[in-house]
PDB file of all heavy atoms in Angstrom:
ATOM      1  N   GLY A1740      52.737  35.844   6.794  1.00  0.00           N
ATOM      2  CA  GLY A1740      53.716  36.885   6.808  1.00  0.00           C
ATOM      3  C   GLY A1740      54.663  36.701   5.587  1.00  0.00           C
ATOM      4  O   GLY A1740      54.801  37.677   4.742  1.00  0.00           O
ATOM      5  N   PRO A1741      55.269  35.514   5.421  1.00  0.00           N
ATOM      6  CA  PRO A1741      56.273  35.195   4.306  1.00  0.00           C
ATOM      7  C   PRO A1741      55.492  35.376   2.970  1.00  0.00           C
ATOM      8  O   PRO A1741      56.058  35.924   1.994  1.00  0.00           O
ATOM      9  CB  PRO A1741      56.542  33.806   4.447  1.00  0.00           C
ATOM     10  CG  PRO A1741      56.517  33.536   5.884  1.00  0.00           C
ATOM     11  CD  PRO A1741      55.313  34.358   6.394  1.00  0.00           C
ATOM     12  N   VAL A1742      54.153  35.073   2.841  1.00  0.00           N
ATOM     13  CA  VAL A1742      53.515  35.225   1.613  1.00  0.00           C
ATOM     14  C   VAL A1742      52.972  36.528   1.270  1.00  0.00           C
ATOM     15  O   VAL A1742      53.085  37.118   0.151  1.00  0.00           O
ATOM     16  CB  VAL A1742      52.338  34.110   1.534  1.00  0.00           C
ATOM     17  CG1 VAL A1742      51.525  34.253   0.182  1.00  0.00           C
ATOM     18  CG2 VAL A1742      52.919  32.630   1.624  1.00  0.00           C
ATOM     19  N   LEU A1743      52.199  37.177   2.252  1.00  0.00           N
ATOM     20  CA  LEU A1743      51.581  38.352   2.031  1.00  0.00           C
ATOM     21  C   LEU A1743      52.257  39.689   2.656  1.00  0.00           C
ATOM     22  O   LEU A1743      51.807  40.716   2.385  1.00  0.00           O
ATOM     23  CB  LEU A1743      50.105  38.389   2.674  1.00  0.00           C
ATOM     24  CG  LEU A1743      49.105  37.232   1.939  1.00  0.00           C
ATOM     25  CD1 LEU A1743      47.854  37.330   2.689  1.00  0.00           C
ATOM     26  CD2 LEU A1743      49.059  37.532   0.483  1.00  0.00           C
ATOM     27  N   GLY A1744      53.391  39.399   3.410  1.00  0.00           N
ATOM     28  CA  GLY A1744      53.921  40.585   3.941  1.00  0.00           C
ATOM     29  C   GLY A1744      53.166  41.424   4.772  1.00  0.00           C
ATOM     30  O   GLY A1744      52.374  40.797   5.715  1.00  0.00           O
ATOM     31  N   PRO A1745      52.912  42.828   4.522  1.00  0.00           N
ATOM     32  CA  PRO A1745      52.275  43.652   5.542  1.00  0.00           C
ATOM     33  C   PRO A1745      50.739  43.313   5.442  1.00  0.00           C
ATOM     34  O   PRO A1745      50.054  43.882   6.400  1.00  0.00           O
ATOM     35  CB  PRO A1745      52.471  45.043   4.891  1.00  0.00           C
ATOM     36  CG  PRO A1745      52.992  44.805   3.497  1.00  0.00           C
ATOM     37  CD  PRO A1745      53.718  43.412   3.453  1.00  0.00           C
ATOM     38  N   LEU A1746      50.290  42.571   4.408  1.00  0.00           N
ATOM     39  CA  LEU A1746      48.820  42.337   4.403  1.00  0.00           C
ATOM     40  C   LEU A1746      48.561  40.929   5.101  1.00  0.00           C
ATOM     41  O   LEU A1746      47.439  40.442   5.092  1.00  0.00           O
ATOM     42  CB  LEU A1746      48.372  42.192   2.846  1.00  0.00           C
ATOM     43  CG  LEU A1746      48.519  43.452   2.110  1.00  0.00           C
ATOM     44  CD1 LEU A1746      48.022  43.169   0.717  1.00  0.00           C
ATOM     45  CD2 LEU A1746      47.553  44.491   2.811  1.00  0.00           C
ATOM     46  N   ALA A1747      49.397  40.350   5.841  1.00  0.00           N
ATOM     47  CA  ALA A1747      49.239  39.062   6.475  1.00  0.00           C
ATOM     48  C   ALA A1747      48.116  39.115   7.563  1.00  0.00           C
ATOM     49  O   ALA A1747      47.440  38.120   7.808  1.00  0.00           O
ATOM     50  CB  ALA A1747      50.603  38.789   7.264  1.00  0.00           C
ATOM     51  N   VAL A1748      47.868  40.322   8.044  1.00  0.00           N
ATOM     52  CA  VAL A1748      46.784  40.526   9.067  1.00  0.00           C
ATOM     53  C   VAL A1748      45.427  40.133   8.412  1.00  0.00           C
ATOM     54  O   VAL A1748      44.566  39.671   9.230  1.00  0.00           O
ATOM     55  CB  VAL A1748      46.702  41.964   9.564  1.00  0.00           C
ATOM     56  CG1 VAL A1748      46.195  42.926   8.481  1.00  0.00           C
ATOM     57  CG2 VAL A1748      45.798  42.011  10.798  1.00  0.00           C
ATOM     58  N   LEU A1749      45.318  40.153   7.159  1.00  0.00           N
ATOM     59  CA  LEU A1749      44.034  39.819   6.419  1.00  0.00           C
ATOM     60  C   LEU A1749      43.744  38.317   6.702  1.00  0.00           C
ATOM     61  O   LEU A1749      42.655  37.836   6.792  1.00  0.00           O
ATOM     62  CB  LEU A1749      44.098  40.139   4.977  1.00  0.00           C
ATOM     63  CG  LEU A1749      44.152  41.604   4.646  1.00  0.00           C
ATOM     64  CD1 LEU A1749      44.286  41.779   3.075  1.00  0.00           C
ATOM     65  CD2 LEU A1749      42.912  42.297   5.118  1.00  0.00           C
ATOM     66  N   VAL A1750      44.752  37.558   6.756  1.00  0.00           N
ATOM     67  CA  VAL A1750      44.569  36.078   6.983  1.00  0.00           C
ATOM     68  C   VAL A1750      43.991  35.815   8.356  1.00  0.00           C
ATOM     69  O   VAL A1750      43.071  35.016   8.545  1.00  0.00           O
ATOM     70  CB  VAL A1750      45.907  35.292   6.696  1.00  0.00           C
ATOM     71  CG1 VAL A1750      45.720  33.920   7.034  1.00  0.00           C
ATOM     72  CG2 VAL A1750      46.312  35.463   5.225  1.00  0.00           C
ATOM     73  N   SER A1751      44.552  36.469   9.269  1.00  0.00           N
ATOM     74  CA  SER A1751      44.128  36.338  10.692  1.00  0.00           C
ATOM     75  C   SER A1751      42.620  36.813  10.740  1.00  0.00           C
ATOM     76  O   SER A1751      41.850  36.194  11.542  1.00  0.00           O
ATOM     77  CB  SER A1751      44.914  36.980  11.707  1.00  0.00           C
ATOM     78  OG  SER A1751      46.190  36.516  11.818  1.00  0.00           O
ATOM     79  N   LEU A1752      42.271  37.899   9.979  1.00  0.00           N
ATOM     80  CA  LEU A1752      40.961  38.421  10.024  1.00  0.00           C
ATOM     81  C   LEU A1752      40.058  37.327   9.363  1.00  0.00           C
ATOM     82  O   LEU A1752      38.894  37.104   9.840  1.00  0.00           O
ATOM     83  CB  LEU A1752      40.905  39.657   9.277  1.00  0.00           C
ATOM     84  CG  LEU A1752      39.597  40.409   9.110  1.00  0.00           C
ATOM     85  CD1 LEU A1752      39.000  40.737  10.481  1.00  0.00           C
ATOM     86  CD2 LEU A1752      39.577  41.598   8.157  1.00  0.00           C
ATOM     87  N   ALA A1753      40.517  36.716   8.313  1.00  0.00           N
ATOM     88  CA  ALA A1753      39.609  35.641   7.561  1.00  0.00           C
ATOM     89  C   ALA A1753      39.378  34.539   8.469  1.00  0.00           C
ATOM     90  O   ALA A1753      38.193  34.003   8.499  1.00  0.00           O
ATOM     91  CB  ALA A1753      40.383  35.239   6.368  1.00  0.00           C
ATOM     92  N   VAL A1754      40.303  34.186   9.300  1.00  0.00           N
ATOM     93  CA  VAL A1754      40.228  32.894  10.150  1.00  0.00           C
ATOM     94  C   VAL A1754      39.250  33.325  11.173  1.00  0.00           C
ATOM     95  O   VAL A1754      38.342  32.558  11.690  1.00  0.00           O
ATOM     96  CB  VAL A1754      41.462  32.426  10.651  1.00  0.00           C
ATOM     97  CG1 VAL A1754      41.334  31.236  11.704  1.00  0.00           C
ATOM     98  CG2 VAL A1754      42.326  31.999   9.461  1.00  0.00           C
TER      99      VAL A1754
END
Side-chain angles (χ1 to χ4, degrees):
V1742 174
L1743 295 177
L1746 297 179
V1748 68
L1749 293 177
V1750 173
S1751 293
L1752 179 63
V1754 178

